[in-house]
């Protein structure tokens, strides 16, 4: 990894370039000036994953350039990662150096932390995990005040919890989130909080219902549910669905019905193409949907799902790929106009960016 400057002047130039990219992509749709939400320059990333590389008789944290998977870049600290990860890296390294039970055939380490200070470490092995490993890992979890997960082929051992707990403030209310190991979460917690507040404000206070597609662990669902009468939310990942249900319970949000369906399947259900057993007992006709919220993968919405969103007066769209966002807006532009847009710098020092738009019916 090349050294990053971490200076505010360079960062300002890079952030403006991202804002310009969104301006250019949305210019054909007469978009307003985007709001721009910046990131901390350092210690913004709450997760990190490292391979281990043997050199000089020791295992070192290592990463690889995208175009060179053979030449390791050995890492002692990782300035873009959270302070908690940087604190844990040398402590964990010292622990495996002192313990053959922890180090034997250890090949990968994954860190997951939160703004709230919680931490979980996943240790991946090319061998079965035995009682010696269990004893050493339990001591490690106690010494470092973390949860530890051991992974080997076909097996997962959890010491502590299999998730971290995050706390995010939206419009003066603190929401608590379980974020499971291995499931998607927004990596930049500070910017995620800015995204949540922007979406909360953009949706506004409403007396009708919200449809949410790709809801994940309920990251946006919790605050947005407080703005509407009720929510129908969908997600296909079982791990994320279970986390979302726990998060709804933990935050006493009781106006959300969560269904494990893909966006494409829900489109078929709403179009009455075919029934789904997972929708049994849910009266889709009882909803008075005024708005739809989508946060799709990088490929954006497929054409049928995009067409489905056209039915709603308001389309609130968070995107991790501005190019596919623009493609989707092109499909909707004849019926909807862009009322608000924003750039969220989830990934400083890279070309990647998150963006958001509010589309309203013409």
């Amino acid at each position: 990894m090349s050294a990053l400057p971490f200076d505010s002047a360079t960062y300002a130039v890079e952030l403006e370039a991202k804002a310009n990219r969104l301006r250019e992509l949305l210019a054909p749709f007469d978009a307003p000036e985007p709001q721009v939400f910046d990131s901390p320059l350092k210690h913004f990333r709450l997760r990190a994953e490292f391979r281990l590389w043997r050199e000089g008789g020791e295992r070192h944290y290592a990463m690889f350039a995208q175009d060179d998977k053979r030449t390791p870049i050995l890492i002692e600290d990782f300035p873009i990662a959270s302070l908690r990860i940087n604190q844990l890296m040398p402590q964990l390294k010292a622990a495996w150096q002192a313990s053959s039970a922890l180090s034997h055939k250890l090949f990968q380490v994954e860190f997951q932390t939160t703004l709230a200070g919680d931490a979980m470490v996943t240790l991946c092995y090319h061998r079965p995990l035995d009682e010696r490993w269990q004893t050493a890992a339990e001591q490690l979890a106690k010494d470092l005040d973390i949860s530890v997960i051991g992974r080997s082929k076909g097996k997962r051992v959890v010491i502590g919890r299999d998730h971290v707990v995050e706390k995010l403030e939206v419009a003066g209310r603190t929401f608590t989130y379980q974020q499971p190991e291995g499931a998607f979460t927004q990596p930049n917690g500070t910017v995620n909080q800015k995204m949540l507040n922007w979406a909360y404000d953009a949706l506004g206070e409403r007396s009708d219902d919200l449809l949410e597609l790709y809801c994940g662990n309920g990251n946006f669902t919790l605050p947005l549910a407080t703005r509407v009468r009720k929510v129908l939310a969908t997600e296909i990942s079982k791990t994320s669905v279970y986390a979302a249900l726990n998060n709804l319970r933990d935050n006493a949000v009781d106006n959300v019905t969560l269904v494990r369906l893909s966006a494409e399947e829900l489109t078929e259900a709403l179009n009455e193409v075919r029934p789904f057993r997972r929708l049994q007992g849910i009266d889709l006709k009882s909803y008075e949907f005024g708005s739809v919220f989508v946060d799709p993968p990088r490929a954006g919405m497929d054409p049928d799902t995009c067409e489905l969103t056209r039915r709603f007066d308001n389309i609130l769209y968070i995107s991790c790929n501005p190019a596919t966002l623009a493609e989707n807006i092109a499909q909707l532009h004849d019926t909807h106009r862009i009322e608000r847009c924003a750039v969220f710098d989830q990934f400083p020092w890279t070309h990647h960016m998150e963006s958001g738009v509010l589309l309203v019916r013409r």
Side-chain angles (χ1 to χ4, degrees):
M1 189 192 309
S2 60
L4 296 172
F6 293 120
D7 68 273
S8 56
T10 303
Y11 176 71
V13 170
E14 294 191 2
L15 182 56
E16 182 60 18
K18 293 181 182 183
N20 283 334
R21 185 179 175 213
L22 187 66
R23 289 184 186 106
E24 291 168 9
L25 284 167
L26 301 187
F29 314 115
D30 301 316
E33 179 65 11
Q35 293 175 266
V36 179
F37 295 91
D38 64 355
S39 168
L41 275 62
K42 288 184 179 181
H43 304 308
F44 51 81
R45 189 172 177 85
L46 296 175
R47 345 173 40 123
E49 179 181 305
F50 303 100
R51 295 301 294 262
L52 298 190
W53 190 266
R54 290 188 73 92
E55 191 168 287
E58 288 185 18
R59 280 184 176 82
H60 301 271
Y61 296 107
M63 300 184 82
F64 296 84
Q66 216 167 13
D67 55 352
D68 182 1
K69 301 300 183 186
R70 299 185 173 215
T71 309
I73 302 162
L74 303 186
I75 294 170
E76 293 301 320
D77 57 11
F78 198 47
I80 68 170
S82 68
L83 286 169
R84 185 84 163 102
I85 290 175
N86 280 275
Q87 175 193 41
L88 286 169
M89 286 174 68
Q91 295 174 333
L92 182 63
K93 185 175 183 179
W96 81 56
Q97 286 176 333
S99 169
S100 62
L102 290 176
S103 64
H104 183 51
K105 294 196 174 181
L106 173 66
F107 72 92
Q108 183 165 300
V109 175
E110 301 164 11
F111 295 91
Q112 188 169 342
T113 60
T114 68
L115 295 177
D118 205 3
M120 174 172 61
V121 173
T122 301
L123 306 175
C124 304
Y125 291 88
H126 286 313
R127 67 170 175 96
L129 301 178
D130 55 19
E131 287 185 13
R132 283 184 66 243
W133 179 88
Q134 177 95 23
T135 300
E138 287 173 356
Q139 189 61 50
L140 176 69
K142 183 179 177 182
D143 291 345
L144 301 187
D145 189 24
I146 59 174
S147 293
V148 174
I149 295 178
R151 283 192 173 274
S152 62
K153 188 175 181 179
K155 187 170 184 181
R156 183 178 80 145
V157 178
V158 178
I159 296 166
R161 299 189 306 251
D162 66 350
H163 62 270
V164 288
V165 176
E166 181 61 287
K167 294 182 179 180
L168 300 171
E169 186 173 310
V170 183
R173 176 175 172 179
T174 300
F175 293 91
T176 301
Y177 295 88
Q178 291 186 20
Q179 298 181 338
E181 185 243 0
F184 173 79
T185 52
Q186 297 287 353
N188 188 324
T190 302
V191 175
N192 183 35
Q193 193 162 251
K194 294 178 179 182
M195 290 167 60
L196 294 176
N197 278 279
W198 180 86
Y200 177 93
D201 187 55
L203 181 62
E205 191 74 37
R206 303 188 56 85
S207 58
D208 53 15
D209 302 330
L210 174 69
L211 174 65
E212 181 182 6
L213 308 178
Y214 323 95
C215 78
N217 72 340
N219 184 50
F220 287 93
T221 318
L222 300 182
L224 295 185
T226 68
R227 301 293 258 170
V228 296
R229 189 178 68 123
K230 59 182 180 176
V231 180
L232 178 65
T234 70
E235 170 58 47
I236 192 61
S237 160
K238 280 185 180 180
T239 303
S240 293
V241 167
Y242 294 145
L245 290 171
N246 287 328
N247 293 336
L248 291 168
R249 181 201 65 218
D250 293 346
N251 290 274
V253 175
D254 59 5
N255 64 334
V256 177
T257 298
L258 180 59
V259 184
R260 195 173 71 82
L261 289 175
S262 68
E264 295 81 1
E265 288 171 330
L266 185 73
T267 298
E268 290 184 343
L270 290 172
N271 289 335
E272 299 182 349
V273 173
R274 65 186 179 107
F276 287 87
R277 195 175 305 162
R278 281 166 280 173
L279 285 168
Q280 195 168 1
I282 299 172
D283 182 7
L284 294 179
K285 290 186 168 62
S286 70
Y287 286 87
E288 298 172 8
F289 292 120
S291 307
V292 59
F293 175 79
V294 297
D295 182 8
R298 287 190 60 78
M301 291 188 287
D302 67 276
D304 288 343
T305 302
C306 195
E307 201 59 33
L308 171 71
T309 64
R310 190 194 297 278
R311 300 180 188 180
F312 303 91
D313 290 339
N314 305 292
I315 304 168
L316 191 53
Y317 192 143
I318 296 290
S319 169
C320 60
N321 184 347
T324 55
L325 169 66
E327 290 171 7
N328 285 160
I329 292 173
Q331 184 175 338
L332 298 164
H333 185 55
D334 59 333
T335 55
H336 288 72
R337 60 179 175 82
I338 301 175
E339 181 157 294
R340 298 175 66 163
C341 60
V343 174
F344 308 100
D345 199 16
Q346 271 277 348
F347 308 98
W349 313 114
T350 76
H351 70 279
H352 296 293
M353 56 190 274
E354 294 267 332
S355 50
V357 296
L358 172 63
L359 299 159
V360 297
R361 191 176 300 283
R362 293 183 182 278

